[in-house]
Amino acid sequence: AGCYGKDLGGQFPPGFKFGAGTSSYQVEGAWNVSDKGVNILDKFVHDHPTSIKDLSNGDVACDSYHNWERDVEMAAELGLDYYRFSLSWSRILPTGFPNKISKDGVKYYNKLINGLQAKGIEAMVTIYHWDLPLPLQELGGWTNPLIADWFEDYARVVYTQFGDRVKLWLTVNEPISFCDGSYNTGVGAPGVLSPDVGAYICNKHVLLAHAKAWRLYDKEFRPKFNGRVSLANNLLWIEPYSEEYTDLAELALQNSAGRYSHPIFSEAGGWPPGVEEVIAKVCLEKGYPRSTFPSFSKEEIELVKGTYDYYGMNHYTSRLIREAHPDEKLLPWPYGDAPDLKAKMTVSDKWPATVVPWFYVNPKGIRKQLAWLKQQYGDLEIMITENGFPTYHGLNDTARIDYYKKNLKQILLSINKDGVNVTHYTAWSLMDNFEWADGYTTKFGLYEVDFNDPKRTRTPRESAIYYASVIKNRSLDIPSNTTKPKQKQK
Ligand code: PNW
């Protein structure tokens, strides 16, 4: 019997896989090494140092460009089945275009992929995790319709270079974050404020870019490499504040999860129900002559529909939604409020706060979110591509262990009780890293990174030892002695 009781049903199904994730800008450093091109994150942090809490940046970060062997070793220590990381577009294509492929850039990822392979660890590769080459941004970035072709060209390069060994691909990470999140606030790269317009154009172009990259793989690479491709959506679980707001909560889910999923995963394709109408109405109220929400042509609907091999889901936290009071101050969508729905997003006082303001703990949310996906899009395979918990520094991270334990428990209930086909779980993150506007002040790592040490020494937290034991036992019912840290603390 484990220390959490006998009958918890803590076993994961055979074949269930565990991983951990990072992204290029957040860990690699080496921002100007060799012929690497400049991307929008490099430019943003250098131009706006004060927009990062500790005035830091990702110039060096975890220096994974040089420390990749240690990263592989950590993945092996944890017993990961796979490691999720992202490719830096500008490191591989210094101009953003395939006219020039960087030998050093490709070499770096080959070393990493081969290093993982040598330890029997698969690579789950994100093609784009927010670091757009600057030359593409100067042409409008995600608001230029040609981005779909530029992205497809880049995808062809990486499938060609790495597809023999990489079998799990994610085209883009959290488009709601780099479309809605970025254009509605102007905060973070590329630093363009374009409420009502930018986010929606970006939304449409991301779907087309994803679809082209998926179709390219399907046609030219799947026959020889037999891998699988999807995208990672951040799903913020939204519940009604009280029963009268049930429809509002559903509309908010369609406006978040739906706008980035329905066109791809639903049988009908196209924009999700209700959203186009609401936005059109709001646009007229705001004085636009017509809706700023782009429509899809029939051909585009067909192009995008069905371009998935599984669903990639990032999930962290939940919200409650209610109608806003008149004159109530509303923050921008999606991580503030929902001004276009004239709604306020709050949280339950039963959900513990964390060290980051957007994050309250509601483990039941992940199970409800998974059930919603199944109900919306049918019985598809779902991989959790991110889930994790923030703390300040320190190796004794009991709150993180508690978060993982409770979320994994809910995922087991989802699999066993709700019949949802969840097959992969990715802890975010393998190690502390550049946490965007928080800089290095808040930490998501299973491994702590010493950012004052030029070597960027990594040390396992208690949560790393816990996660390793879950993976080893393929169960949450872990004999109590294996949850104690074995490693010496420094
Ligand atoms: C993700 N929310 O972003 C990103 O994919 C990671 O790069 C990042 O390090 C991680 O979460 C932790 O922040 C999110 O408000 C941003 O729900 C916002 C939310 C969730 C995820």
Side-chain angles (χ1 to χ4, degrees), residues 276-338:
E276 268 174 302
E277 293 83 339
V278 174
I279 295 168
K281 209 173 135 235
V282 171
C283 287
L284 297 184
E285 284 168 16
K286 288 182 182 169
Y288 294 98
R290 61 188 164 275
S291 181
T292 59
F293 196 67
S295 54
F296 272 125
S297 70
K298 274 213 179 81
E299 292 71 34
E300 287 169 336
I301 290 178
E302 290 309 313
L303 175 72
V304 174
K305 197 169 85 175
T307 54
Y308 67 91
D309 300 308
Y310 60 93
Y311 194 101
M313 165 172 149
N314 294 0
H315 175 84
Y316 291 88
T317 187
S318 300
R319 294 285 187 278
L320 300 176
I321 195 166
R322 62 161 169 79
E323 206 177 284
H325 309 133
D327 306 321
E328 192 168 18
K329 188 177 179 294
L330 297 178
L331 296 169
W333 172 266
Y335 302 132
D337 297 304

Side-chain angles (χ1 to χ4, degrees), residues 15-121:
F16 191 93
K17 290 185 176 172
F18 293 93
T22 60
S23 85
S24 46
Y25 187 79
Q26 294 179 276
V27 302
E28 284 177 6
W31 78 280
N32 62 354
V33 88
S34 181
D35 52 356
K36 178 182 167 292
V38 174
N39 65 47
I40 57 171
L41 300 169
D42 298 322
K43 178 161 167 61
F44 186 82
V45 296
H46 296 153
D47 288 357
H48 308 277
T50 55
S51 66
I52 311 296
K53 208 183 259 173
D54 52 3
L55 310 180
S56 69
N57 59 49
D59 287 359
V60 180
C62 310
D63 202 14
S64 282
Y65 186 77
H66 298 105
N67 290 324
W68 63 270
E69 280 179 286
R70 173 66 179 132
D71 296 348
V72 170
E73 184 181 83
M74 281 144 50
E77 283 171 9
L78 290 172
L80 300 185
D81 297 307
Y82 64 95
Y83 175 40
R84 178 185 173 211
F85 60 92
S86 83
L87 305 174
S88 161
W89 192 333
S90 313
R91 194 180 294 292
I92 296 172
L93 304 179
T95 67
F97 297 100
N99 59 318
K100 186 174 179 291
I101 301 177
S102 164
K103 286 208 178 72
D104 283 347
V106 169
K107 195 164 135 197
Y108 168 63
Y109 295 111
N110 274 331
K111 285 189 290 192
L112 177 58
I113 294 165
N114 294 342
L116 291 166
Q117 207 171 37
K119 305 232 168 178
I121 301 162

Side-chain angles (χ1 to χ4, degrees), residues 444-457:
F444 279 81
L446 292 165
Y447 280 75
E448 180 159 271
V449 177
D450 183 353
F451 292 102
N452 296 315
D453 173 357
K455 291 198 175 117
R456 297 297 191 268
T457 304

Side-chain angles (χ1 to χ4, degrees), residues 22-23 26 84 129-130 173-174 176-177 232 234-237 314-319 334-336 356 358-359 386 388-390 428-429 433-436 438 442 444:
T22 60
S23 85
Q26 294 179 276
R84 178 185 173 211
H129 199 124
W130 310 355
N173 180 67
E174 293 189 2
I176 195 171
S177 296
N234 180 40
L235 304 188
L236 183 64
W237 173 244
N314 294 0
H315 175 84
Y316 291 88
T317 187
S318 300
R319 294 285 187 278
Y335 302 132
V356 303
W358 54 266
F359 197 144
E386 279 181 31
F389 182 85
W428 184 273
S429 169
N433 56 53
F434 180 72
E435 181 51 25
W436 310 118
D438 276 355
T442 60
F444 279 81

